[in-house]
Amino acid sequence: MPRTLTVATFTGFLVTAVAVLAGCSAQPAPTEHVEPGEATGAGVQLFQLPWTSIADECEQTLGPAGFAWVLTSPPNEHIVGEQWWTSYQPVSHRIESRLGTREEFADMVARCDAAGVEIVADAVINHMTGQNTAGTGFAGTAFEHYDYPGLYGPGDFHYCGLAASGDIEDYGSREQVQDCELVNLADLDTSSEAVRAKTVGYLDDLLSLGVAGVRVDAAKHMAADDVEAIVSQLPGGTRILSEVIRGAGEPVQPEEYTGFGDVFEFTYGRDLAQPLQSGVWSDPTLRDADDEYVRAQHVPSDRAIVFVDNHDTERGEAKITYKRGDLYVLANVLMLGDDYGTPVVYSGYAFTDRDAGPRADEDGRAQDASCAGVDGPVDAYEDGERTCVQSWTAIRGMLAFHDAVGDVHRMPGVESGDAYGFERAGRGVVAVNPGEAAETLEIPTTMPAGDYCDVVSGGPDATTEDGCRGAVFIVDDGVATLKLPGRTAAAIHIDAAAPPAS
Ligand code: ARE
Ligand code: CA
């Protein structure tokens, strides 16, 4: 059914647009029945990692480091195949996949919860499979392209009739984007009460197992009204993270999805990569505290989920991924040092073939993987080797920084050569040097004078009784002096002063 912009949505969009242009942080009024989840700390996306391994990670690394949440890959039954993306072709709502059983999923949620880490599950609710021939899913459920016995039948799909292929051919058409098929994936009629009820049943089931919320996969491909009609039936406080890739000139924009939850702000990672590659920090796409210019391209900070890369962009548009080693660390340091949005660190596995799935057993189950002993990027990865970004000393150190500075503002930046740094008002200072040559930055700060331990080189426990584990930097007379060798970063914060000299 073709859809037009409703008055309510359009008014919400205008309010947002005006607020953004005026540079104030006003937001579209939340709808009556949905309370967006509480703002949380930094998260980590553990791409295609089995539930048993995620539970171990929560206890060994994520809880202690202060990660607040994990984004998992989709837990639903999916088509059979070696490619990672089989996860995104649901066959049923059974929680039984190559990543683990329902019992393992529930156990993971409980163990992570006990470690202080929430689980956000990836929910694929826009479509079912893209298979033109009948098949059997990972958990044994028989299906056809438009028939999923006991769940959805031929009457539950859109069949847009707008393009010969039935696929989305023109992202400039709202109707095509939302009612046609994304790469041949059978498009659910999310305007139907029957479909909505089944979807709510699935999400309620995940919530009954203790998840804190869901990533709404392909949210752009469902009318915001449809997504809202579904999530408004979930308990208040459920975290909703909509995936709406910002595309220039496209009719469907992320702002439409901020009234009932957060959205992934794809512009942020794009902005971050530019100056790290060029060393040109005056580029207006990276904003300073008093530079409102780029906010016209970003959703309000408390609705934004930001990331350096994710499982799609590391295989696509992202210029800085694990393949760039030190530069990837710098990008993550900048993101975790920034004051905009809720950051999510990405952790996957090395690949040369974009389709290659995680290392798996003969029965197709993803193998458990441990990150024990990994403290930074390695020079040459083997295909399938996990990157373990959550374990890197610099990342864990920046998690501590993120917690220590809280929500204080980021102050205008300072440049020297290719290097750039800024203060988080009175609580911390962070700097990166993507160039080859060493640089010294003198960054104004209201932090108390003294010696501080660098958490990028020293990690979260940079301060010891005897001194600093990593570099030491001095704050004196309202200035932090940070000497940075090429391709390094540094960060000091108020809770990591160097011990007094004995
Ligand atoms: C696979 C095969 C296809 C085949 C299909 C059906 O690759 O050739 O036709 O199966 O058999 C993932 C993979 C796909 C995979 C799919 C299903 O990436 O390759 O297809 O799973 O198994 C758009 C969407 C956005 C989406 C990206 C990938 O807007 O929502 O495309 N991202 C999510 C997930 C993906 C996942 C899906 C959705 C599907 O994160 O991992 O796909 O569940 C511009 C636009 C964007 C657009 C982008 C790419 O930037 O602005 O909106 O993103 O182009 O087209
Ligand atoms: Ca759709």
Side-chain angles (χ1 to χ4, degrees):
M1 195 179 66
R3 210 170 263 110
T4 48
L5 209 58
T6 64
V7 174
T9 314
F10 185 60
T11 311
F13 179 73
L14 268 188
V15 169
T16 311
V18 169
V20 164
L21 287 177
C24 77
S25 58
Q27 291 172 24
T31 49
E32 284 162 32
H33 39 281
V34 190
E35 295 164 37
E38 296 281 301
T40 57
V44 58
Q45 177 183 357
L46 296 178
F47 175 63
Q48 291 290 327
L49 191 65
W51 314 144
T52 43
S53 295
I54 292 181
D56 289 344
E57 281 297 315
C58 282
E59 291 169 350
Q60 290 159 19
T61 304
L62 305 178
F67 282 95
W69 52 285
V70 173
L71 172 59
T72 73
S73 285
N76 51 270
E77 179 182 8
H78 49 79
I79 60 165
V80 174
E82 289 175 3
Q83 303 89 344
W84 61 267
W85 43 253
T86 57
S87 294
Y88 289 93
Q89 298 195 37
V91 167
S92 76
H93 286 160
R94 288 184 60 192
I95 299 170
E96 178 82 42
S97 71
R98 78 151 130 240
L99 299 175
T101 65
R102 182 180 181 88
E103 290 67 34
E104 287 166 341
F105 187 86
D107 185 58
M108 164 188 75
V109 178
R111 285 171 62 191
C112 288
D113 217 48
V117 185
E118 295 184 328
I119 297 293
V120 174
D122 200 347
V124 185
I125 60 173
N126 170 66
H127 53 260
M128 297 298 281
T129 77
Q131 306 302 306
N132 293 328
T133 51
T136 303
F138 190 87
T141 306
F143 70 92
E144 292 176 34
H145 200 181
Y146 300 109
D147 199 10
Y148 300 84
L151 184 58
Y152 298 124
D156 292 323
F157 296 91
H158 266 136
Y159 314 107
C160 69
L162 296 168
S165 62
D167 283 354
I168 299 163
E169 292 176 0
D170 177 10
Y171 272 80
S173 158
R174 173 179 294 271
E175 288 72 26
Q176 281 198 29
V177 167
Q178 298 189 329
D179 293 356
C180 293
E181 297 184 349
L182 172 62
V183 295
N184 200 42
L185 300 160
D187 200 60
L188 286 162
D189 178 4
T190 43
S191 71
S192 138
E193 286 303 332
V195 168
R196 289 176 179 175
K198 297 271 172 61
T199 302
V200 170
Y202 172 53
L203 301 180
D204 268 337
D205 187 36
L206 289 170
L207 288 164
S208 78
L209 298 178
V211 305
V214 291
R215 167 187 185 266
V216 180
D217 178 66
K220 180 194 277 185
H221 302 280
M222 295 175 276
D225 285 351
D226 291 357
V227 180
E228 180 168 3
I230 290 165
V231 304
S232 66
Q233 298 181 50
L234 304 174
T238 301
R239 292 190 65 198
I240 303 299
L241 284 53
S242 294
E243 186 227 10
V244 186
I245 301 177
R246 191 184 289 281
E250 290 185 22
V252 187
Q253 291 293 320
E255 280 72 13
E256 295 172 28
Y257 298 77
T258 55
F260 48 82
D262 297 342
V263 299
F264 289 87
E265 178 51 87
F266 280 71
T267 311
Y268 186 82
R270 295 170 187 159
D271 293 349
L272 209 58
Q274 286 187 25
L276 280 172
Q277 291 177 291
S278 64
V280 181
W281 295 94
S282 52
D283 188 318
T285 55
L286 196 91
R287 91 185 153 80
D288 274 334
D290 52 1
D291 175 5
E292 306 292 345
Y293 176 73
V294 327
R295 289 192 188 181
Q297 289 293 311
H298 291 63
V299 295
S301 181
D302 63 359
R303 285 293 175 275
I305 307 292
V306 299
F307 51 96
V308 173
D309 60 343
N310 71 11
H311 66 284
D312 286 332
T313 67
E314 75 167 344
R315 289 170 173 76
E317 65 169 80
K319 304 285 191 300
I320 300 181
T321 68
Y322 80 91
K323 297 185 191 210
R324 302 293 300 272
D326 291 344
L327 218 45
Y328 192 51
V329 174
L330 267 54
N332 276 285
V333 167
L334 261 187
M335 172 179 75
L336 292 166
D338 205 351
D339 67 352
Y340 173 79
T342 297
V344 56
V345 170
Y346 175 71
S347 181
Y349 54 82
F351 62 91
T352 42
D353 170 6
R354 113 173 251 287
D355 295 329
R359 288 177 178 168
D361 293 339
E362 274 172 16
D363 61 4
R365 283 176 197 278
Q367 288 172 3
D368 277 309
S370 163
C371 287
V374 181
D375 60 8
V378 304
D379 288 339
Y381 288 96
E382 285 172 27
D383 277 359
E385 186 177 350
R386 298 219 50 110
T387 57
C388 296
V389 178
Q390 71 277 15
S391 295
W392 297 356
T393 303
I395 302 298
R396 290 183 297 110
M398 286 308 294
L399 255 288
F401 179 97
H402 188 77
D403 283 352
V405 300
D407 56 8
V408 300
H409 221 301
R410 165 178 162 180
M411 306 308 286
V414 172
E415 289 179 61
S416 172
D418 286 345
Y420 179 80
F422 52 84
E423 181 197 22
R424 291 292 301 278
R427 300 202 58 86
V429 171
V430 59
V432 295
N433 178 13
E436 300 293 340
E439 296 289 345
T440 299
L441 287 168
E442 294 188 346
I443 303 171
T445 178
T446 56
M447 285 172 74
D451 291 356
Y452 291 88
C453 300
D454 170 34
V455 295
V456 171
S457 55
D461 307 314
T463 303
T464 73
E465 278 179 16
D466 312 322
C468 295
R469 277 183 215 282
V472 188
F473 295 113
I474 298 168
V475 172
D476 188 31
D477 213 9
V479 175
T481 304
L482 271 56
K483 187 165 193 283
L484 297 177
R487 287 284 159 103
T488 64
I492 56 174
H493 64 76
I494 196 99
D495 298 334
S502 48

XYZ file of all heavy atoms in Angstrom, residues 271-344:
584
model
N 32.416 11.239 9.226
C 33.099 12.485 9.597
C 34.442 12.212 10.251
O 35.424 12.912 10.015
C 32.259 13.285 10.600
C 30.974 13.817 9.995
O 30.833 13.757 8.768
O 30.125 14.277 10.786
N 34.456 11.208 11.108
C 35.642 10.896 11.899
C 36.803 10.474 11.005
O 37.959 10.827 11.253
C 35.264 9.727 12.817
C 35.927 9.539 14.149
C 35.738 10.769 15.010
C 35.294 8.324 14.849
N 36.500 9.726 9.968
C 37.556 9.155 9.129
C 38.290 10.222 8.317
O 39.488 10.091 8.057
C 36.959 8.108 8.195
N 37.565 11.269 7.952
C 38.166 12.250 7.036
C 39.425 12.910 7.575
O 40.479 12.829 6.951
C 37.141 13.318 6.662
C 36.104 12.786 5.684
C 35.193 13.890 5.171
O 35.567 15.060 5.151
N 33.994 13.520 4.764
N 39.355 13.596 8.741
C 40.566 14.266 9.232
C 41.654 13.274 9.648
O 42.841 13.606 9.565
C 40.062 15.083 10.425
C 38.785 14.450 10.826
C 38.194 13.853 9.595
N 41.268 12.074 10.060
C 42.288 11.087 10.434
C 43.103 10.676 9.207
O 44.266 10.308 9.311
C 41.642 9.849 11.057
C 41.255 9.980 12.523
C 40.440 8.774 12.972
C 42.495 10.130 13.414
N 42.481 10.749 8.053
C 43.211 10.395 6.833
C 43.970 11.578 6.257
O 45.032 11.419 5.672
C 42.240 9.871 5.783
C 41.671 8.527 6.156
C 40.663 8.081 5.108
O 39.589 8.645 4.983
N 41.047 7.093 4.335
N 43.397 12.780 6.433
C 43.997 13.963 5.790
C 44.871 14.779 6.732
O 45.743 15.523 6.282
C 42.887 14.870 5.264
O 42.120 15.368 6.358
N 44.631 14.665 8.046
C 45.328 15.532 8.991
C 44.806 16.963 8.966
O 45.372 17.853 9.582
N 43.702 17.181 8.243
C 43.123 18.531 8.150
C 41.941 18.632 9.099
O 40.843 18.170 8.806
C 42.669 18.843 6.705
C 42.085 20.260 6.629
C 43.826 18.689 5.745
N 42.172 19.221 10.264
C 41.157 19.226 11.319
C 40.217 20.392 11.238
O 39.190 20.418 11.905
C 41.844 19.195 12.693
C 42.558 17.921 12.864
C 43.873 17.677 12.597
C 42.004 16.663 13.269
N 44.169 16.356 12.824
C 43.040 15.708 13.239
C 40.730 16.236 13.650
C 42.853 14.373 13.584
C 40.523 14.914 13.997
C 41.583 13.995 13.961
N 40.582 21.387 10.411
C 39.664 22.527 10.283
C 38.456 22.117 9.452
O 37.503 22.851 9.328
C 40.380 23.706 9.627
O 40.992 23.260 8.435
N 38.519 20.921 8.877
C 37.385 20.400 8.121
C 36.119 20.556 8.959
O 36.014 20.038 10.066
C 37.622 18.915 7.826
C 36.575 18.358 6.881
O 35.391 18.700 7.068
O 36.948 17.600 5.987
N 35.145 21.289 8.474
C 33.962 21.585 9.290
C 33.114 20.357 9.603
O 32.199 20.433 10.414
C 33.172 22.571 8.430
C 33.625 22.325 7.036
C 35.047 21.862 7.122
N 33.415 19.216 8.978
C 32.579 18.057 9.267
C 32.853 17.495 10.649
O 32.079 16.707 11.156
C 32.787 16.938 8.231
O 34.161 16.619 8.188
C 32.284 17.345 6.881
N 34.001 17.852 11.269
C 34.205 17.431 12.650
C 33.942 18.654 13.513
O 34.693 19.605 13.494
C 35.607 16.900 12.875
C 35.666 16.131 14.184
C 35.368 14.660 13.953
C 37.000 16.289 14.864
N 32.898 18.597 14.309
C 32.479 19.829 14.969
C 33.289 20.109 16.230
O 33.770 19.206 16.895
C 30.996 19.766 15.308
C 30.708 19.220 16.657
C 29.228 19.078 16.871
N 29.007 18.026 17.830
C 29.137 18.208 19.148
N 29.477 19.374 19.631
N 28.934 17.207 19.964
N 33.357 21.395 16.537
C 33.894 21.841 17.812
C 32.726 22.241 18.696
O 31.599 22.361 18.224
C 34.830 23.020 17.620
C 36.248 22.545 17.312
O 36.590 21.417 17.724
O 36.974 23.301 16.674
N 33.016 22.474 19.977
C 31.942 22.738 20.926
C 31.062 23.904 20.499
O 29.854 23.863 20.662
C 32.527 22.999 22.304
N 31.681 24.924 19.938
C 30.875 26.096 19.594
C 30.615 26.176 18.092
O 30.241 27.204 17.574
C 31.554 27.366 20.095
C 32.991 27.430 19.636
O 33.422 26.499 18.915
O 33.684 28.388 19.995
N 30.830 25.079 17.420
C 30.588 25.045 15.985
C 29.390 24.150 15.725
O 29.486 22.933 15.744
C 31.842 24.506 15.288
C 31.620 24.325 13.793
O 30.547 24.694 13.286
O 32.526 23.798 13.137
N 28.246 24.749 15.491
C 27.010 23.987 15.348
C 26.820 23.480 13.931
O 25.855 22.808 13.632
C 25.810 24.859 15.737
C 25.915 25.494 17.106
C 25.842 24.464 18.219
O 25.432 23.328 17.934
O 26.197 24.808 19.355
N 27.747 23.827 13.050
C 27.535 23.600 11.627
C 27.078 22.193 11.277
O 26.071 22.003 10.622
C 28.820 23.939 10.861
C 28.736 23.636 9.399
C 27.981 24.440 8.546
C 29.381 22.539 8.867
C 27.892 24.162 7.201
C 29.294 22.252 7.518
C 28.541 23.062 6.691
O 28.445 22.772 5.372
N 27.826 21.171 11.743
C 27.497 19.842 11.244
C 26.289 19.226 11.948
O 25.832 18.174 11.549
C 28.672 18.850 11.263
C 29.966 19.555 11.004
C 28.718 18.036 12.491
N 25.780 19.865 12.963
C 24.613 19.266 13.614
C 23.428 19.151 12.659
O 22.522 18.388 12.900
C 24.220 20.067 14.850
C 25.230 19.883 15.964
C 24.707 20.428 17.256
N 25.768 20.399 18.258
C 25.590 20.788 19.491
N 24.429 21.247 19.869
N 26.573 20.731 20.347
N 23.471 19.906 11.583
C 22.396 19.792 10.601
C 22.410 18.408 9.962
O 21.449 18.003 9.340
C 22.549 20.873 9.538
N 23.501 17.667 10.122
C 23.602 16.335 9.536
C 23.546 15.228 10.587
O 23.832 14.081 10.284
C 24.942 16.211 8.787
C 25.004 17.025 7.523
C 24.040 16.502 6.482
O 24.007 15.319 6.212
N 23.242 17.379 5.908
N 23.241 15.592 11.830
C 23.253 14.600 12.900
C 21.951 14.644 13.687
O 21.408 15.724 13.921
C 24.389 14.889 13.884
C 25.761 14.660 13.329
N 26.265 15.361 12.279
C 26.738 13.799 13.719
C 27.494 14.947 12.027
N 27.809 14.000 12.881
N 21.493 13.494 14.167
C 20.352 13.501 15.081
C 20.817 14.044 16.426
O 22.022 14.072 16.704
C 19.743 12.085 15.259
C 19.153 11.584 13.952
C 20.746 11.106 15.827
N 19.895 14.501 17.287
C 20.310 15.020 18.591
C 21.171 13.998 19.337
O 20.945 12.792 19.235
C 18.989 15.251 19.320
C 17.975 15.420 18.237
C 18.441 14.561 17.105
N 22.140 14.527 20.087
C 23.131 13.668 20.737
C 22.502 12.546 21.559
O 22.970 11.406 21.539
C 24.031 14.545 21.619
O 25.007 13.764 22.247
N 21.436 12.849 22.305
C 20.888 11.806 23.186
C 19.966 10.838 22.449
O 19.320 9.995 23.073
C 20.223 12.407 24.427
C 19.035 13.276 24.089
O 18.735 13.424 22.883
O 18.415 13.812 25.015
N 19.919 10.931 21.136
C 19.225 9.923 20.333
C 20.205 9.151 19.441
O 19.802 8.240 18.725
C 18.174 10.584 19.435
C 16.946 11.018 20.189
C 16.179 9.807 20.703
N 15.059 10.217 21.529
C 15.158 10.481 22.828
N 16.311 10.375 23.454
N 14.096 10.841 23.513
N 21.488 9.560 19.464
C 22.446 9.029 18.486
C 23.270 7.869 19.024
O 23.836 7.948 20.110
C 23.392 10.148 18.045
N 23.327 6.778 18.267
C 24.290 5.720 18.518
C 25.404 5.933 17.497
O 25.128 5.991 16.288
C 23.667 4.313 18.312
C 22.381 4.142 19.134
C 24.692 3.232 18.645
C 22.568 4.091 20.634
N 26.636 6.095 17.963
C 27.738 6.381 17.040
C 28.752 5.248 17.031
O 28.903 4.513 18.014
C 28.418 7.733 17.361
C 27.418 8.876 17.218
C 29.044 7.739 18.754
N 29.460 5.119 15.916
C 30.388 3.991 15.739
C 31.415 4.359 14.688
O 31.153 5.187 13.810
C 29.606 2.737 15.311
C 28.694 2.977 14.144
C 29.098 2.687 12.850
C 27.439 3.542 14.325
C 28.270 2.953 11.764
C 26.609 3.818 13.248
C 27.025 3.517 11.975
N 32.591 3.764 14.806
C 33.636 3.952 13.798
C 33.261 3.150 12.554
O 33.353 3.618 11.432
C 35.005 3.517 14.339
C 36.067 3.542 13.233
C 35.426 4.416 15.510
N 32.837 1.900 12.775
C 32.395 1.042 11.688
C 31.453 -0.005 12.271
O 31.338 -0.138 13.490
C 33.582 0.373 10.966
C 34.428 -0.503 11.891
O 34.324 -0.352 13.138
O 35.191 -1.344 11.382
N 30.745 -0.713 11.389
C 29.938 -1.848 11.831
C 30.113 -2.982 10.820
O 30.950 -2.883 9.917
C 28.471 -1.443 12.046
C 27.725 -1.163 10.745
O 28.205 -1.457 9.646
N 26.547 -0.601 10.855
N 29.329 -4.037 10.953
C 29.553 -5.201 10.095
C 29.279 -4.917 8.624
O 29.857 -5.567 7.754
C 28.701 -6.377 10.578
C 27.231 -6.147 10.423
N 26.516 -5.320 11.267
C 26.349 -6.604 9.514
C 25.246 -5.300 10.879
N 25.114 -6.070 9.813
N 28.397 -3.961 8.334
C 28.159 -3.595 6.931
C 29.249 -2.652 6.433
O 29.807 -2.866 5.359
C 26.809 -2.878 6.772
C 25.608 -3.818 6.871
O 25.754 -5.011 6.546
O 24.527 -3.339 7.266
N 29.538 -1.598 7.208
C 30.464 -0.578 6.699
C 31.895 -1.094 6.616
O 32.660 -0.649 5.784
C 30.413 0.725 7.528
O 30.919 0.492 8.839
C 28.984 1.266 7.631
N 32.290 -2.059 7.472
C 33.660 -2.576 7.347
C 33.794 -3.380 6.049
O 34.897 -3.623 5.575
C 34.085 -3.411 8.561
C 33.469 -4.792 8.632
C 34.135 -5.706 9.655
O 35.253 -5.429 10.122
O 33.500 -6.739 9.986
N 32.675 -3.805 5.504
C 32.662 -4.495 4.204
C 32.271 -3.553 3.087
O 32.038 -3.978 1.960
C 31.664 -5.663 4.251
C 32.136 -6.795 5.116
C 31.060 -7.824 5.366
N 31.655 -8.953 6.068
C 31.984 -8.965 7.356
N 31.708 -7.904 8.098
N 32.568 -10.004 7.899
N 32.115 -2.272 3.406
C 31.625 -1.326 2.419
C 32.302 0.016 2.540
O 33.492 0.148 2.301
N 31.534 1.010 3.002
C 31.992 2.388 2.897
C 33.095 2.811 3.858
O 33.766 3.803 3.607
C 30.792 3.330 3.093
C 30.171 3.257 4.491
C 29.158 4.377 4.741
O 27.996 4.256 4.285
O 29.530 5.365 5.389
N 33.294 2.083 4.964
C 34.228 2.580 5.986
C 35.672 2.589 5.475
O 36.153 1.606 4.927
C 34.126 1.747 7.252
N 36.350 3.711 5.691
C 37.741 3.848 5.249
C 38.709 3.381 6.330
O 39.846 3.027 6.047
C 38.044 5.315 4.906
C 37.116 5.912 3.859
C 37.470 5.394 2.471
C 36.756 6.142 1.356
N 35.281 6.066 1.438
N 38.259 3.432 7.577
C 39.143 3.039 8.674
C 38.501 1.876 9.425
O 37.480 2.036 10.099
C 39.425 4.231 9.617
C 40.097 5.356 8.816
C 40.313 3.797 10.773
C 40.450 6.580 9.644
N 39.086 0.693 9.260
C 38.584 -0.516 9.907
C 39.759 -1.215 10.593
O 40.873 -0.685 10.590
C 37.996 -1.492 8.870
O 39.078 -1.997 8.063
C 36.971 -0.802 7.967
N 39.530 -2.409 11.131
C 40.625 -3.145 11.781
C 41.813 -3.319 10.835
O 42.951 -3.501 11.284
C 40.118 -4.520 12.265
C 40.047 -5.541 11.150
C 41.136 -6.364 10.867
C 38.921 -5.633 10.333
C 41.083 -7.267 9.804
C 38.865 -6.532 9.293
C 39.949 -7.343 9.026
O 39.912 -8.216 7.975
N 41.563 -3.233 9.517
C 42.654 -3.417 8.556
C 43.655 -2.276 8.600
O 44.733 -2.382 8.008
C 42.085 -3.563 7.137
C 41.203 -4.796 6.984
C 40.710 -5.039 5.565
C 39.633 -6.125 5.596
N 39.524 -6.945 4.423
N 43.287 -1.160 9.280
C 44.180 -0.003 9.348
C 44.913 0.114 10.676
O 45.498 1.155 10.986
C 43.404 1.290 9.068
C 42.707 1.326 7.719
C 43.664 1.346 6.540
N 44.544 2.503 6.550
C 44.254 3.680 6.005
N 43.110 3.855 5.392
N 45.114 4.682 6.058
N 44.862 -0.940 11.502
C 45.686 -1.016 12.714
C 45.657 0.218 13.594
O 44.644 0.538 14.209
N 46.816 0.933 13.663
C 46.942 2.071 14.565
C 45.894 3.151 14.311
O 45.384 3.766 15.248
C 48.334 2.701 14.425
C 49.412 1.784 14.965
O 49.076 0.834 15.693
O 50.598 2.021 14.646
N 45.593 3.376 13.032
C 44.623 4.415 12.700
C 43.236 4.056 13.251
O 42.458 4.926 13.650
C 44.557 4.560 11.171
C 44.393 5.956 10.591
C 45.313 6.962 11.244
C 44.610 5.917 9.081
N 42.951 2.782 13.288
C 41.669 2.300 13.832
C 41.608 2.578 15.337
O 40.564 2.992 15.860
C 41.543 0.805 13.545
C 40.173 0.213 13.776
C 39.032 0.781 13.226
C 40.029 -0.953 14.528
C 37.778 0.208 13.421
C 38.786 -1.537 14.722
C 37.664 -0.946 14.174
O 36.429 -1.517 14.360
N 42.737 2.380 16.008
C 42.788 2.712 17.442
C 42.501 4.201 17.619
O 41.686 4.596 18.466
C 44.168 2.366 18.048
C 44.247 2.849 19.497
C 44.442 0.865 17.960
N 43.142 5.036 16.798
C 42.961 6.484 16.920
C 41.487 6.870 16.712
O 40.947 7.717 17.425
C 43.845 7.220 15.897
C 45.224 7.662 16.396
C 46.015 6.523 16.983
C 46.009 8.358 15.303
N 40.851 6.253 15.736
C 39.443 6.566 15.466
C 38.580 6.217 16.680
O 37.698 6.975 17.079
C 38.959 5.805 14.233
N 38.859 5.069 17.275
C 38.088 4.662 18.453
C 38.365 5.566 19.655
O 37.455 5.865 20.439
C 38.383 3.200 18.798
C 37.531 2.241 17.985
O 36.348 2.076 18.247
N 38.124 1.637 16.963
N 39.615 6.003 19.798
C 39.954 6.918 20.895
C 39.184 8.226 20.745
O 38.583 8.727 21.696
C 41.485 7.188 20.936
C 41.802 8.367 21.854
C 42.241 5.935 21.377
N 39.158 8.743 19.527
C 38.421 9.994 19.282
C 36.941 9.834 19.609
O 36.340 10.673 20.270
C 38.534 10.375 17.816
C 39.560 11.418 17.398
C 39.356 11.747 15.930
C 39.453 12.677 18.239
N 36.361 8.734 19.143
C 34.929 8.511 19.377
C 34.636 8.404 20.876
O 33.700 9.025 21.378
C 34.463 7.242 18.669
C 33.032 6.856 19.026
S 32.456 5.389 18.177
C 33.323 4.084 19.067
N 35.445 7.612 21.586
C 35.187 7.409 23.018
C 35.539 8.657 23.827
O 35.100 8.802 24.966
C 35.962 6.187 23.521
C 35.460 4.848 22.954
C 36.480 3.732 23.211
C 34.101 4.474 23.539
N 36.341 9.555 23.225
C 36.701 10.790 23.914
C 35.709 11.910 23.667
O 35.738 12.934 24.335
N 34.826 11.705 22.713
C 33.915 12.758 22.263
C 32.701 12.878 23.197
O 32.453 12.003 24.023
C 33.464 12.418 20.837
C 33.035 13.648 20.063
O 32.911 14.734 20.660
O 32.824 13.512 18.840
N 31.952 13.958 23.005
C 30.775 14.178 23.867
C 29.468 13.953 23.134
O 28.397 14.283 23.637
C 30.798 15.595 24.452
C 30.621 16.666 23.382
O 30.629 16.337 22.180
O 30.485 17.851 23.748
N 29.534 13.446 21.917
C 28.315 13.290 21.117
C 27.877 11.829 21.035
O 28.668 10.945 20.701
C 28.556 13.830 19.701
C 27.409 13.555 18.760
C 26.262 14.338 18.791
C 27.459 12.487 17.875
C 25.190 14.066 17.954
C 26.402 12.201 17.027
C 25.265 13.000 17.070
O 24.218 12.721 16.246
N 26.615 11.582 21.331
C 26.035 10.266 21.101
C 26.471 9.204 22.093
O 27.254 9.451 23.009
N 25.916 8.012 21.911
C 26.294 6.835 22.691
C 27.178 5.969 21.803
O 26.723 5.463 20.778
C 25.042 6.033 23.104
O 24.233 6.849 23.950
C 25.428 4.764 23.855
N 28.465 5.802 22.172
C 29.366 5.070 21.280
C 29.211 3.559 21.382
O 28.944 3.020 22.458
C 30.758 5.500 21.759
C 30.579 5.927 23.174
C 29.148 6.398 23.329
N 29.370 2.880 20.257
C 29.431 1.424 20.261
C 30.683 0.993 19.493
O 30.874 1.350 18.324
C 28.128 0.769 19.730
C 27.756 1.252 18.343
C 28.223 -0.754 19.767
